[in-house]
């Protein structure tokens, strides 16, 4: 990118980076057509937020902002791909089957890779990282390979994957970026915004340079101190070394003074970074930091405010879930497909319907998801309801008469039979103690909580042997991870003292 045309925006925690970028967007809209402006973000969530905020703030339609998207989405459209051209869960399962390994699909990450703990996931990760970092397979395996896989397995898996994609005319997320770069098909863009730039991979930086080749103004925003996806291929060094006019957003609107102090001690351990000064939020107190020996110590506090319950790895999260069950408080588990929010809404809406109140069709569809065909509802009724506009208003009588509802006179615990008995006990308890529709508590790894915030954060200082031993190779990455963890709170930080020798010193 031409440094004379590039503005580098450094946004420490809670400094309103997206809001600032929208202010700059306001200025350039006076000079350039919306269709010639690209606003690219690393995650789909962040890209959608920027699009929605721009549409509302500037009274624009989505069609007028065709380049507000992730890089993968932009490449998808410019390559004129269709959905059936993109690898999905069924495709990856078939590849794993041909390779004779297991693979699981707990979630898909922002690089389009299925997340899980089986051998297929580990093999796919090495193959993907080799492309993202533009390294050989053997280099990727030596640097990022799991102990459970050998190099011959990586090579065989890669060959099977590539043959399958060729046979089925499929591409994965990495292929989209690589093909975009190879064909140099960048659309005509005059102004380029790139948000969360610290998380871009090597091939995404190549794409960024192509997008910025003919632009008149570039805005590249991020915070290298919050780059925590190096393990997945992010190339933070390219952000640190980027040339241009630098502006530091120096006022945090979230982080109080005491939290700023502890975060500063962490960030000062990072060996390679951009220096940036910022000040904590004013007028909201200094914040509070407490070291606790047991989760029981926060039990009485869980009934007020929002919470982020964080740990370094997925395997350390179950004690948080057990605590929430015991306390009878609603929570969201960021790393499981089961979302208690849907269960809770179904229960509350069922009670409303039995009281003679109404619900929207989208909420009725959620209720039907927890009912069994031929018992709770007539065969074909779910399909008929799903065809209805989400905004339609429905009563219990209408569901009974027009949409095959048969369990209308039963208690929710009988009618919503697809909810497990264990979950029913928990929901019954929670309705009495925490009768809300939106969970106040989120259980997550630190990585899963990036970009989030809460009134209270509890952070386990244990980190597990694998993450602890990896500090010998990439200490900076670990410091950045814990920096992100402590700066999620708006008020209180509770640090759970370690139970093992494999912990991070806070």
């Amino acid at each position: 990118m031409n440094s004379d045309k590039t503005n580098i925006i450094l946004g420490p925690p809670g400094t309103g980076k997206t809001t600032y970028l929208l202010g700059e967007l306001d200025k350039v809209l006076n000079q350039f057509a919306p269709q010639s402006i690209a606003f690219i973000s690393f995650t789909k969530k962040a890209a959608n937020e920027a699009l929605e905020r721009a549409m509302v703030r500037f009274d624009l339609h989505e069609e007028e902002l065709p380049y507000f998207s992730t890089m993968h989405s932009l490449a998808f459209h410019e390559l004129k791909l269709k959905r059936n051209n993109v690898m999905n869960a069924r495709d990856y399962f078939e590849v794993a089957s041909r390779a004779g390994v297991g693979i699981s699909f707990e979630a898909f990450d922002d690089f389009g890779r299925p997340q899980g703990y089986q051998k297929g996931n580990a093999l796919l990760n090495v193959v993907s990282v080799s492309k993202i970092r533009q390294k050989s397979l053997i280099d990727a395996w030596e640097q990022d390979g799991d102990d459970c896989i050998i190099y011959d397995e990586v090579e065989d898996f890669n060959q099977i994957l590539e043959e399958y994609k060729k046979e089925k005319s499929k591409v994965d997320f990495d292929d989209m970026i690589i093909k975009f770069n190879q064909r140099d098909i960048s659309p005509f863009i005059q102004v380029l915004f790139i948000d969360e730039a610290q998380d871009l991979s090597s091939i995404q930086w190549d794409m960024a340079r192509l997008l910025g080749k003919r632009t008149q103004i570039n805005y590249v925003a991020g915070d290298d101190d919050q780059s925590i996806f190096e393990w997945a291929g992010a190339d933070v060094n390219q952000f640190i070394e980027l040339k241009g006019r630098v502006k530091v957003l120096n006022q945090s609107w979230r982080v109080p003074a005491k939290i700023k102090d502890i975060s500063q001690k962490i960030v000062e351990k990072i060996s390679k970074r951009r220096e940036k000064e910022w000040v904590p939020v004013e007028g909201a107190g200094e914040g509070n930091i407490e070291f606790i020996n047991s989760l029981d110590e926060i039990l009485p506090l869980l009934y007020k405010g929002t919470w982020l319950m964080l740990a370094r790895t997925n395997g350390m999260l179950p004690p948080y879930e057990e605590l929430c069950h015991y306390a009878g408080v609603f929570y969201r588990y960021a790393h499981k497909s089961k979302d208690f929010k849907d269960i809770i809404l179904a229960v509350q809406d069922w009670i409303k319907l039995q009281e003679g109140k109404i619900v929207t069709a989208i909420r009725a569809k959620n209720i039907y998801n927890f009912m069994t065909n031929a018992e709770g509802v007539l065969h074909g009724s779910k399909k008929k309801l799903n065809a209805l506009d989400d905004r339609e208003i429905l009563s219990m009588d209408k569901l009974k008469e027009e949409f095959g509802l048969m369990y209308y006179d039963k208690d929710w615990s009988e009618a919503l039979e697809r909810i497990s008995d264990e979950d029913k006990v928990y929901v019954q308890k929670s309705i009495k103690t925490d009768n809300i529709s939106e969970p106040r508590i989120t259980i997550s790894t630190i990585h899963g909580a990036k970009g989030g915030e809460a009134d209270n954060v509890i952070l386990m200082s244990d980190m597990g042997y694998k993450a602890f031993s990896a500090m010998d190779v990439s200490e900076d990455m670990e410091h950045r991870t814990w920096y992100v963890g402590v700066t999620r709170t708006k008020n209180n930080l509770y640090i759970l003292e370690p139970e093992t020798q494999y912990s991070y010193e806070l």
Side-chain angles (χ1 to χ4, degrees):
M1 286 186 188
N2 187 329
S3 59
D4 293 334
K5 299 178 181 179
T6 300
N7 302 281
I8 301 168
I9 314 302
L10 302 180
T15 52
K17 179 165 48 63
T18 301
T19 300
Y20 176 84
L21 291 178
L22 289 176
E24 294 302 296
L25 175 64
D26 196 3
K27 296 175 185 177
V28 299
L29 279 170
N30 293 324
Q31 300 175 258
F32 304 95
Q35 297 86 348
S36 70
I37 299 171
F39 196 113
I40 307 296
S41 192
F42 172 68
T43 64
K44 186 175 181 180
K45 178 183 176 183
N48 287 342
E49 179 188 357
L51 173 62
E52 291 168 5
R53 290 173 67 174
M55 288 167 60
V56 171
R57 181 166 175 176
F58 307 117
D59 194 25
L60 296 169
H61 296 288
E62 187 172 350
E63 306 79 56
E64 297 176 276
L65 301 167
Y67 304 122
F68 274 54
S69 68
T70 63
M71 284 187 163
H72 294 111
S73 179
L74 193 152
F76 174 88
H77 288 291
E78 293 303 311
L79 290 166
K80 295 180 169 50
L81 296 170
K82 297 180 180 178
R83 291 294 172 193
N84 60 6
N85 296 134
V86 182
M87 293 287 289
N88 57 35
R90 183 178 297 176
D91 295 313
Y92 284 116
F93 180 82
E94 176 61 28
V95 169
S97 178
R98 292 183 185 187
V101 296
I103 194 166
S104 56
F105 304 90
E106 294 184 15
F108 278 81
D109 65 14
D110 290 306
F111 295 92
R113 291 175 299 208
Q115 294 301 286
Y117 299 97
Q118 297 197 47
K119 180 172 279 190
N121 301 95
L123 292 166
L124 182 62
N125 183 66
V126 174
V127 170
S128 181
V129 166
S130 74
K131 292 194 290 186
I132 286 171
R133 291 182 175 162
Q134 303 187 77
K135 291 186 175 184
S136 67
L137 269 179
I138 194 164
D139 285 345
W141 171 73
E142 288 175 347
Q143 185 173 346
D144 299 286
D146 198 290
D147 294 339
C148 72
I149 57 178
I150 60 176
Y151 179 65
D152 287 348
E153 291 175 312
V154 176
E155 223 173 17
D156 291 344
F157 186 87
N158 181 57
Q159 183 177 345
I160 292 168
L161 174 62
E162 292 305 316
E163 288 174 353
Y164 179 88
K165 288 191 290 187
K166 186 175 181 180
E167 173 191 332
K168 302 292 185 181
S169 299
K170 296 273 186 174
V171 296
D172 59 31
F173 275 36
D174 305 327
D175 296 329
M176 292 182 205
I177 304 296
I178 292 169
K179 289 179 183 294
F180 180 97
N181 294 344
Q182 289 172 340
R183 297 183 190 180
D184 190 6
I185 54 173
S186 179
F188 175 68
I189 293 171
Q190 292 179 289
V191 182
L192 174 63
F193 290 83
I194 300 179
D195 198 6
E196 302 295 344
Q198 78 280 344
D199 292 326
L200 300 187
S201 67
S202 176
I203 57 174
Q204 288 174 320
W205 278 110
D206 286 349
M207 183 175 176
R209 282 186 281 271
L210 283 174
L211 292 173
K213 192 162 60 174
R214 296 187 294 273
T215 54
Q216 296 188 38
I217 308 172
N218 301 315
Y219 294 89
V220 183
D223 181 7
D224 51 291
D225 294 332
Q226 298 185 71
S227 178
I228 61 175
F229 293 105
E230 286 182 72
W231 57 273
D235 189 349
V236 67
N237 287 331
Q238 294 211 43
F239 181 68
I240 293 172
E241 295 165 3
L242 187 68
K243 304 297 183 185
R245 293 181 293 273
V246 177
K247 178 177 179 60
V248 178
L249 305 180
N250 61 5
Q251 175 64 67
S252 178
W253 305 103
R254 174 174 74 228
V255 181
K258 287 185 178 180
I259 307 303
K260 162 74 189 304
D261 290 343
I262 192 173
S263 72
Q264 201 62 29
K265 291 176 182 176
I266 296 172
V267 86
E268 286 170 358
K269 299 176 186 177
I270 300 174
S271 61
K272 186 175 182 180
R273 60 184 293 265
R274 286 183 177 271
E275 290 294 332
K276 53 192 81 71
E277 295 291 332
W278 56 280
V279 296
V281 64
E282 299 176 356
E286 293 187 338
N288 176 55
I289 301 172
E290 288 187 34
F291 289 82
I292 61 175
N293 294 304
S294 167
L295 291 178
D296 291 341
E297 294 180 42
I298 65 164
L299 181 60
L301 309 174
L302 293 181
Y303 302 99
K304 292 183 180 179
T306 56
W307 288 77
L308 275 172
M309 297 182 168
L310 305 179
R312 178 61 180 79
T313 63
N314 280 311
M316 301 168 69
L317 297 175
Y320 287 142
E321 189 171 19
E322 293 168 11
L323 178 70
C324 291
H325 274 259
Y326 181 78
V329 290
F330 290 144
Y331 66 93
R332 185 177 72 88
Y333 206 131
H335 297 270
K336 283 191 176 180
S337 57
K338 179 174 68 178
D339 190 342
F340 274 107
K341 179 180 177 181
D342 291 338
I343 296 176
I344 294 160
L345 285 176
V347 172
Q348 292 176 329
D349 287 339
W350 184 262
I351 293 170
K352 284 171 60 177
L353 287 168
Q354 288 197 318
E355 292 173 347
K357 298 176 182 177
I358 56 175
V359 298
T360 57
I362 192 171
R363 303 282 280 266
K365 293 171 188 178
N366 182 52
I367 290 173
Y368 273 38
N369 285 337
F370 297 103
M371 303 184 79
T372 305
N373 279 327
E375 294 188 30
V377 294
L378 291 172
H379 268 303
S381 299
K382 288 185 179 182
K383 186 176 181 180
K384 184 179 178 183
L385 180 61
N386 286 334
L388 200 63
D389 187 287
D390 286 346
R391 294 166 294 183
E392 286 285 330
I393 301 299
L394 299 169
S395 64
M396 184 72 89
D397 286 341
K398 192 165 186 177
L399 288 170
K400 180 174 61 173
E401 294 164 7
E402 299 182 25
F403 296 97
L405 181 63
M406 295 188 289
Y407 273 177
Y408 53 88
D409 58 346
K410 293 184 179 291
D411 182 77
W412 71 265
S413 58
E414 294 181 79
L416 308 181
E417 55 194 331
R418 295 183 65 184
I419 302 175
S420 71
D421 291 340
E422 179 186 358
D423 289 343
K424 286 176 182 177
V425 172
Y426 162 63
V427 171
Q428 283 173 326
K429 182 177 181 180
S430 300
I431 286 174
K432 295 177 182 177
T433 59
D434 198 25
N435 192 20
I436 54 173
S437 58
E438 189 70 30
R440 296 178 294 101
I441 297 172
T442 298
I443 298 172
S444 175
T445 61
I446 299 172
H447 290 86
K450 186 174 178 291
E453 63 178 24
D455 300 322
N456 310 281
V457 167
I458 177 165
L459 192 58
M460 289 185 185
S461 54
D462 280 303
M463 54 191 298
Y465 171 74
K466 186 175 180 180
F468 183 81
S469 59
M471 287 187 70
D472 293 336
V473 178
S474 184
E475 193 171 346
D476 280 358
M477 182 173 68
E478 207 57 48
H479 296 320
R480 293 184 182 114
T481 299
W482 292 89
Y483 177 74
V484 166
V486 302
T487 55
R488 297 308 91 200
T489 185
K490 295 191 285 185
N491 293 307
N492 303 303
L493 175 64
Y494 300 94
I495 299 170
L496 185 61
E497 295 278 20
E499 295 182 354
T500 71
Q501 60 182 315
Y502 309 119
S503 63
Y504 188 87
E505 186 176 347
L506 288 163

